[in-house]
Every structure is written in structure tokens, then in C-alpha cells.
Amino acid sequence: EAAVTQSPRSKVAVTGGKVTLSCHQTNNHDYMYWYRQDTGHGLRLIHYSYVADSTEKGDIPDGYKASRPSQENFSLILELASLSQTAVYFCASSDAAGGFAEQFFGPGTRLTVL
Amino acid sequence: GDSVTQTEGQVALSEEDFLTIHCNYSASGYPTLFWYVQYPGEGPQLLFRASRDKEKGSSRGFEATYDKGTTSFHLRKASVQESDSAVYYCALSDASSSFSKLVFGQGTSLSVVP
């Protein structure tokens, strides 16, 4: 069974609307991450979390909030969606902060903002 | 800050061709280097990693050697197959800071035709 799942897999949102992307992991990992993928930019870190009820800003946090209500769940929230936030979003988990640690990715959510 | 550069954005090959994807990095400290592969409709998954100068990582016929002198970690495969068609990401993680995170290159889309 997939260890990192994301919902929805695809979403169309209107400019100015609120969007919530959800991520669930069964790896029992402490660390979770949200990335966005854009052609020509690879994957860029938006927010991450290393414990429930705590989140940290990544490299491109503007326009995004994150929520980690439990070890298994990590949400990405767009309070006022904008056209520039059209992208594919990936959630990932790992059992360590970095260094040699492998990150396990979900299948992604394709978000289109109109 | 740390960065990863992949020279090729797209590569088109025939089966049994030799593959090289160039990856150069810039980082303070001594990073761990990764290659991730992303198949269509899926999230990235670890191909292999290396953490010491001159260490060779390998998996599924792919290999790369950590070269601190030239700050490179080029991906190579002697004979590609159609099933290797995917997007390949070079990434680094710097363990010297309090929180280590992955920094990805732009990605290289590989297309292999029979």
C-alpha cells in the first residue's frame, strides 16, 4: 500500500478562493514536507514540519500556510489562491531531518487556479 | 545558498544508447548528493545517493560518482531502455546546518524510443 497519499489528486480553483491540500503518511515518520513543482524549477520547498502542531517555513512560503494536526497528517492551505500558484504539489516524509535521509513522496496534486 | 544545476532540460535517446545527465552543485560544507527519478503520474523516488568524495552510487544500471574537486555528480547509464523514460532530479542535502533539507536541480526529462 502507498505510504504517502495525497488528496485531492487534481483540483481546479478560482482566483481568491481558499484551497486545502491534504497529505497522509503511514511511514511513522516525524518529518513531513510540502513542495511545488514547476517546469524549469524542479521541486521547491514550501513548508515542513518535524513534530505535530508545529510547522516551519521553507524556501517559498509566501501565499501558503501549513498545518500538522497529527504525526500522520500535513495540510497545505492557500487562503487566497492566485494564478501563479498553478502547479503540481508534492508531499513527502522522512524519518530524519536530512543529511543521508531518504524522502518518500506522494503521487502529487495538480492544482489549476483560474 | 546551496544550489544544484542540471545542464540538460530534455534528452531524447534510442534504446541501447549511452546516457549522461550532468549535475553540478554549489554548497558550503560537505553535502550528501542524491539522484531521484520521477515516472509519469508518480512522485519522485530515490534512485541512489552518495555522501563522500569519490563514492559511487548505483542502482538499476545507473551510476554516479561524487567528485568534490569538480563539484559534480553526473548520472550515467551504458544502455538505456524505453522503461527508463522519466524525469531525473539531482539534489543535495547539507547536514551542517541545524535543519537539513533537499535542494533540487531543475530536472532532466529523458525520453527513450524503441
Side-chain angles (χ1 to χ4, degrees), chain A:
Chain A
E1 300 85 13
V4 181
T5 56
Q6 295 182 231
S7 62
R9 291 295 312 276
S10 179
K11 183 171 182 64
V12 178
V14 295
T15 303
K18 182 177 181 178
V19 176
T20 300
L21 307 182
S22 299
C23 177
H24 178 80
Q25 57 106 352
T26 57
N27 294 324
N28 199 32
H29 288 166
D30 288 329
Y31 294 85
M32 296 188 74
Y33 315 80
W34 275 107
Y35 294 89
R36 68 175 280 172
Q37 182 183 50
D38 301 276
T39 302
H41 289 280
L43 285 85
R44 293 179 290 174
L45 183 65
I46 306 171
H47 285 289
Y48 63 93
S49 169
Y50 51 86
V51 67
D53 296 322
S54 178
T55 64
E56 304 292 334
K57 294 181 179 179
D59 296 325
I60 54 166
D62 293 346
Y64 303 94
K65 293 184 179 179
S67 173
R68 182 93 180 270
S70 65
Q71 186 195 39
E72 299 80 15
N73 297 293
F74 192 36
S75 298
L76 185 68
I77 303 151
L78 290 66
E79 294 279 2
L80 295 170
S82 67
L83 294 174
S84 64
Q85 293 177 312
T86 293
V88 180
Y89 292 85
F90 288 96
C91 176
S93 73
S94 74
D95 64 358
F100 202 70
E102 175 181 2
Q103 292 189 16
F104 296 83
F105 287 81
T109 295
R110 182 174 297 277
L111 175 65
T112 303
V113 183
L114 302 175

Side-chain angles (χ1 to χ4, degrees), chain B residues 30-47:
Chain B
Y30 213 122
T32 296
L33 303 176
F34 302 77
W35 277 102
Y36 278 80
V37 58
Q38 182 182 13
Y39 298 103
E42 300 180 8
Q45 57 184 269
L46 180 67
L47 192 55

Side-chain angles (χ1 to χ4, degrees), chain B:
Chain B
D2 297 346
S3 65
V4 176
T5 300
Q6 293 177 233
T7 307
E8 299 86 0
Q10 294 185 333
V11 175
L13 296 173
S14 299
E15 281 192 327
E16 300 184 7
D17 281 352
F18 189 92
L19 169 70
T20 300
I21 299 176
H22 295 93
C23 172
N24 287 90
Y25 69 90
S26 173
S28 56
Y30 213 122
T32 296
L33 303 176
F34 302 77
W35 277 102
Y36 278 80
V37 58
Q38 182 182 13
Y39 298 103
E42 300 180 8
Q45 57 184 269
L46 180 67
L47 192 55
F48 56 79
R49 57 197 157 185
S51 59
R52 301 185 304 276
D53 189 23
K54 302 297 184 277
E55 179 181 359
K56 183 165 79 172
S58 64
S59 175
R60 311 179 207 176
F62 292 89
E63 62 179 40
T65 300
Y66 192 134
D67 190 328
K68 197 171 190 301
T70 60
T71 61
S72 67
F73 194 52
H74 305 318
L75 182 69
R76 294 185 169 91
K77 187 175 186 182
S79 177
V80 295
Q81 302 301 312
E82 187 177 8
S83 58
D84 294 327
S85 297
V87 178
Y88 293 82
Y89 289 101
C90 184
L92 67 79
S93 178
D94 182 3
S96 65
S97 62
S98 58
F99 174 75
S100 296
K101 61 179 175 66
L102 285 175
V103 176
F104 286 87
Q106 302 92 324
T108 298
S109 178
L110 171 64
S111 176
V112 181
V113 296

